[in-house]
Amino acid sequence: MPDFRPPRPGEVNITLPERTDAALYFIGRIQTPWRSLKECPKNSAARKDVTATIEVDEPFAAGLKDIALLSHLIVLYWLDRSQRTAILQAPSHVPEPRGVFALRSPVRPNPIGLSVVELVAVEGNRLTIRGIDCVDGTPLIDIKPYFASSDSFPDAKRP
Amino acid sequence: MPDFRPPRPGEVNITLPERTDAALYFIGRIQTPWRSLKECPKNSAARKDVTATIEVDEPFAAGLKDIALLSHLIVLYWLDRSQRTAILQAPSHVPEPRGVFALRSPVRPNPIGLSVVELVAVEGNRLTIRGIDCVDGTPLIDIKPYFASSDSFPDAKRP
């Protein structure tokens, strides 16, 4: 069931197009300690010590071959409890409504969540990871190797 | 039109589920100098100097508000010329077929491309960026702020 929060002052919603353009398969599930959106950690420091499990379903699990060669992964998942229309949003930590593409909010036109995680262990179709903040049971859509050469920008600036 | 390459020795394909589970909106397009997959750069060094443009369509463009506060973005796009069934793949740079989730191949069950890019300029609904390797006209599905605190792992290991 969607778990929409009420709109905040200054938020702006759009009308989405009538048709979608592409379709995804759920390829597994992410098991975390957080049973509801309210329990999920709001900042990355809080989640860094917490272990979670990614379980990849058949027929996709064969694609995990050689994953243990990597120390870090990029995990993409489907935020299936998010509404998709809030184009300007007013999170409590910013003074004025901000555009959705300047926020890591789970509420977005295509509600794809992204976390860079540490790979702790691999056992069959199950990966133990650290560094994810999604609710228990979140559908998995992709796992990618993290490459420092193209993905790490330690000096990136943010507001 | 899909632009499938022929299978390589040792590659393994799966049968995809009959039904998909979620749907995406294309929210814009990415304009690059590369008109075909063959022209696209194979390594990140080659693309770092090249400028590309992201054009965000209405009604999504309002979501770009405040994006200029960021130096780097994570761009997600739909690799619409990729087949989706190759679960073990044999790129020329690896000795044996490798699982798709240990590769950044565009061929994957959910063909979502990801690049961390430098934001060079913002003009209305158009972003000038550096650091993307996709073919001209690739559909855009999301833009996220890059946060060094949670996304930068300079010591990540890879094969």
Side-chain angles (χ1 to χ4, degrees):
Chain A
M1 275 296 293
D3 195 7
F4 296 171
R5 60 166 173 70
R8 299 200 183 99
E11 292 197 332
V12 171
N13 285 272
I14 55 172
T15 301
L16 292 167
E18 284 184 19
R19 273 180 252 179
T20 54
D21 298 293
L24 298 171
Y25 300 104
F26 294 165
I27 65 169
R29 296 275 164 180
I30 304 171
Q31 293 151 9
T32 74
W34 303 293
R35 307 280 160 193
S36 71
L37 295 184
K38 279 187 187 159
E39 287 179 27
C40 291
K42 294 283 178 242
N43 64 73
S44 58
R47 70 185 187 238
K48 268 187 181 152
D49 295 328
V50 174
T51 286
T53 304
I54 296 177
E55 192 168 317
V56 180
D57 296 335
E58 294 302 335
F60 305 105
L64 294 173
K65 179 171 179 288
D66 303 314
I67 199 131
L69 298 172
L70 298 151
S71 69
H72 289 74
L73 305 172
I74 300 174
V75 181
L76 301 183
Y77 38 97
W78 188 251
L79 300 159
D80 56 352
R81 307 191 192 189
S82 287
Q83 58 100 324
R84 302 172 69 162
T85 59
I87 205 79
L88 293 186
Q89 299 178 34
S92 52
H93 65 281
V94 302
E96 278 196 39
R98 193 165 279 180
V100 61
F101 304 123
L103 293 167
R104 287 288 271 267
S105 165
V107 170
R108 45 207 316 118
N110 291 308
I112 296 171
L114 182 159
S115 290
V116 180
V117 305
E118 182 194 343
L119 179 58
V120 177
V122 182
E123 198 176 349
N125 70 330
R126 292 165 67 88
L127 309 181
T128 305
I129 58 164
R130 257 196 291 264
I132 210 158
D133 62 358
C134 61
V135 72
D136 186 48
T138 295
L140 177 72
I141 56 180
D142 201 7
I143 302 171
K144 298 179 189 293
Y146 182 89
F147 293 154
S149 57
S150 55
D151 302 323
S152 179
F153 292 85
D155 302 323
K157 288 190 204 81
R158 58 183 286 185
Chain B
M1 275 293 293
D3 194 6
F4 296 171
R5 61 166 172 69
R8 298 199 184 100
E11 292 197 336
V12 172
N13 285 270
I14 56 172
T15 301
L16 292 166
E18 284 184 19
R19 273 179 251 179
T20 54
D21 299 294
L24 298 172
Y25 300 104
F26 294 165
I27 65 170
R29 296 275 164 181
I30 305 172
Q31 293 150 11
T32 74
W34 303 294
R35 307 281 161 193
S36 70
L37 295 185
K38 278 185 189 161
E39 286 179 29
C40 291
K42 294 284 181 241
N43 63 72
S44 59
R47 69 183 188 239
K48 269 188 182 155
D49 295 328
V50 175
T51 287
T53 304
I54 296 176
E55 192 168 316
V56 180
D57 297 334
E58 296 300 335
F60 304 105
L64 294 173
K65 179 171 179 288
D66 303 314
I67 199 131
L69 298 172
L70 298 151
S71 68
H72 289 75
L73 305 172
I74 300 173
V75 181
L76 300 183
Y77 39 98
W78 189 250
L79 301 160
D80 56 353
R81 306 190 193 189
S82 286
Q83 58 100 322
R84 301 172 71 162
T85 59
I87 205 81
L88 292 187
Q89 299 179 33
S92 52
H93 66 281
V94 302
E96 279 194 40
R98 196 164 277 179
V100 61
F101 303 124
L103 293 168
R104 287 288 272 264
S105 166
V107 171
R108 46 207 316 118
N110 291 308
I112 296 172
L114 182 159
S115 290
V116 180
V117 305
E118 183 194 341
L119 180 59
V120 176
V122 182
E123 199 176 349
N125 69 331
R126 293 166 65 88
L127 309 181
T128 305
I129 58 164
R130 256 197 291 265
I132 209 159
D133 62 358
C134 61
V135 73
D136 186 48
T138 295
L140 177 71
I141 55 180
D142 201 8
I143 301 171
K144 297 179 189 293
Y146 182 89
F147 293 154
S149 57
S150 54
D151 302 323
S152 179
F153 293 86
D155 301 323
K157 288 190 204 80
R158 59 183 285 186

